[in-house]
């Protein structure tokens, strides 16, 4: 895969605690997408393998909190680093100086692996859209890219009572909630149109979104890629190491696969989730040919 020639893109991820077991696989998939620089602020040890586009700034959680306080002029010292998920909309302003040379900035998570991000990040989409994400009903906090301009850097400050909300110990999903509503101001209108006009006719909400989003949100690419599936038994997602392609059980290619519902999660009541021993890959990632991801674990095919 070639680096995008016309745009520079960065995704900044602050992560503190302990790397997930699949970190080497995740980073390998980052390295296969050179159109994006993946920048990490972390207190975790440097991984075994680093790539030209994986950049690490080692610092303590307290150091990063001090950076937040300096850039936002607040007093942020939440006890649990998970609270940083609520600061994703503020990444563009917190790291403004670091992002000066970039045309787009992004937010992301580590509980996924990337396939070919060129499916969504390419000259065509970057020319046309100011925001690119992989859901059609709200911004996907685990993968979103925004044009690096004053509007999107500062949109976070329009969140009502933002200082109180981001310094509250409770995680509030601000990225996919209030900030998403600011980025996509007509989603609520589309929801009402569906409720009163199309739902009585049996037309699915997503069909209405796909029809009206391009009309109401002309500069925002809101496309549902089904990257966060709810896996069932005997379903396999495959990741080809050499071609960097992720294929679903129905043989559709994905730009990435989000592990949200493979793990135990409060968002879904089920007994189907990864148990101890789900991670079975102990050789260097590049030594494998094809990897399967299913409800039992991450295994070599």
């Amino acid at each position: 895969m070639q680096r995008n020639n016309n745009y520079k893109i960065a995704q900044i991820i602050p992560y503190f605690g302990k790397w997930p077991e699949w970190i080497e696989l995740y980073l390998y998939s980052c390295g296969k997408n050179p159109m994006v620089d993946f920048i990490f602020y972390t207190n975790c040890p440097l991984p075994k393998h680093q790539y030209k586009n994986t950049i690490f700034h080692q610092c303590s959680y307290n150091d990063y909190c001090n950076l937040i306080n300096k850039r936002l002029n607040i007093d942020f010292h939440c006890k649990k680093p998970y609270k940083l998920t609520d600061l994703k909309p503020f990444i563009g302003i917190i790291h403004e100086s670091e992002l000066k040379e970039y045309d787009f900035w992004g937010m992301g998570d580590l509980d996924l692996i990337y396939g070919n991000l060129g499916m969504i990040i390419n000259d065509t989409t970057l020319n046309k859209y100011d925001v690119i994400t992989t859901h059609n009903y709200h911004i996907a906090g685990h993968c979103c890219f925004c044009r690096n301009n004053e509007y999107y850097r500062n949109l976070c400050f329009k969140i009502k009572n933002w200082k109180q909300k981001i310094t509250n110990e409770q995680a509030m999903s601000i990225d996919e909630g209030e900030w998403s509503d600011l980025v996509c101001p007509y989603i609520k209108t589309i929801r009402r149109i569906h409720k009163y006009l199309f739902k009585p006719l049996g037309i699915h909400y997503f069909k209405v979104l796909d029809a009206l989003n391009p009309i109401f949100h002309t500069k925002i690419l809101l496309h549902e890629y089904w990257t966060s599936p709810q896996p069932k038994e005997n379903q396999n997602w495959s990741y080809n190491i050499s071609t960097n392609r992720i294929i679903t059980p129905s043989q559709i290619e994905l730009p990435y696969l989000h592990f949200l519902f493979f793990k135990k999660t409060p968002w879904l009541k089920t007994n189907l989730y990864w148990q101890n021993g789900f991670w079975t890959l102990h050789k260097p990632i590049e030594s494998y040919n094809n990897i399967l991801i299913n409800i039992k674990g991450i295994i070599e095919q």
Side-chain angles (χ1 to χ4, degrees):
M1 295 180 188
Q2 298 297 316
R3 173 180 280 275
N4 189 288
N5 291 324
N6 295 327
Y7 295 95
K8 288 195 66 178
I9 310 152
Q11 187 183 87
I12 295 185
I13 304 176
Y15 185 87
F16 298 89
K18 181 182 179 181
W19 291 128
E21 291 178 272
W22 59 81
I23 187 63
E24 293 292 342
L25 177 61
Y26 162 81
L27 291 172
Y28 176 89
S29 73
C30 291
K32 284 286 190 175
N33 286 283
M35 73 287 287
V36 179
D37 284 342
F38 297 90
I39 304 172
F40 305 91
Y41 284 77
T42 184
N43 61 354
C44 297
L46 291 176
K48 293 178 182 178
H49 297 92
Q50 298 176 47
Y51 306 89
K52 289 182 179 180
N53 64 328
T54 57
I55 302 160
F56 296 88
H57 298 283
Q58 287 188 294
C59 64
S60 70
Y61 175 57
N62 188 62
D63 288 339
Y64 193 76
C65 289
N66 289 334
L67 174 64
I68 293 169
N69 293 333
K70 180 180 178 182
R71 299 291 170 83
L72 300 183
N73 192 27
I74 59 172
D75 184 17
F76 179 91
H77 286 98
C78 291
K79 294 178 182 179
K80 296 182 179 180
Y82 183 75
K83 178 62 180 179
L84 292 175
T85 59
D86 278 341
L87 278 88
K88 288 179 180 178
F90 297 81
I91 284 174
I93 197 72
I94 292 171
H95 296 279
E96 182 176 6
S97 59
E98 184 178 2
L99 290 166
K100 281 184 178 178
E101 295 183 2
Y102 291 94
D103 303 293
F104 282 79
W105 60 270
M107 57 186 72
D109 288 337
L110 299 188
D111 61 340
L112 52 79
I113 54 169
Y114 292 108
N116 177 16
L117 270 179
M119 293 175 63
I120 60 173
I121 300 297
N122 53 63
D123 283 345
T124 300
T125 57
L126 297 174
N127 283 336
K128 185 175 181 180
Y129 299 105
D130 290 335
V131 179
I132 297 169
T133 193
T134 53
H135 284 327
N136 61 1
Y137 57 100
H138 65 57
I139 294 298
H142 55 271
C143 188
C144 175
F145 298 92
C146 301
R147 193 174 299 278
N148 189 19
N149 58 26
E150 186 176 356
Y151 178 79
Y152 285 105
R153 284 195 302 271
N154 291 284
L155 188 60
C156 53
F157 297 130
K158 293 185 178 181
I159 297 170
K160 189 176 181 180
N161 299 321
W162 66 269
K163 287 187 179 182
Q164 291 88 338
K165 287 173 180 173
I166 66 173
T167 54
N168 187 306
E169 291 284 349
Q170 181 181 356
M172 299 179 179
S173 300
I174 292 172
D175 54 339
E176 296 186 345
E178 291 183 74
W179 185 71
S180 178
D181 287 344
L182 290 170
V183 176
C184 315
Y186 299 106
I187 287 289
K188 291 181 178 179
T189 300
I190 296 172
R191 192 181 301 133
R192 287 194 292 267
I193 291 172
H194 171 257
K195 179 180 180 180
Y196 294 111
L197 293 181
F198 294 102
K199 189 175 182 180
L201 300 175
I203 298 175
H204 195 279
Y205 178 43
F206 279 18
K207 287 189 176 181
V208 178
L209 284 166
D210 290 341
L212 296 184
N213 269 330
I215 297 172
F216 284 97
H217 300 114
T218 57
K219 299 294 288 183
I220 305 167
L221 179 58
L222 290 152
H223 183 82
E224 185 58 56
Y225 280 92
W226 305 101
T227 54
S228 304
Q230 297 179 12
K232 297 178 175 62
E233 291 192 54
N234 301 317
Q235 285 186 326
N236 292 304
W237 283 257
S238 67
Y239 175 55
N240 187 289
I241 292 297
S242 59
T243 63
N244 197 51
R245 296 182 68 205
I246 297 173
I247 305 298
T248 71
S250 55
Q251 301 302 302
I252 296 172
E253 185 174 3
L254 298 180
Y256 65 89
L257 179 62
H258 188 201
F259 297 153
L260 177 63
F261 297 116
F262 290 84
K263 307 177 300 175
K264 186 176 182 180
T265 172
W267 306 111
L268 180 66
K269 290 184 179 181
T270 178
N271 292 322
L272 290 175
Y273 54 82
W274 286 339
Q275 306 289 338
N276 290 336
F278 77 92
W279 175 254
T280 67
L281 307 180
H282 302 293
K283 297 185 294 184
I285 298 301
E286 60 271 15
S287 67
Y288 295 97
N289 294 316
N290 209 51
I291 292 171
L292 295 183
I293 301 97
N294 55 41
I295 202 60
K296 294 182 179 179
I298 301 177
I299 60 178
E300 180 180 10
Q301 187 175 21

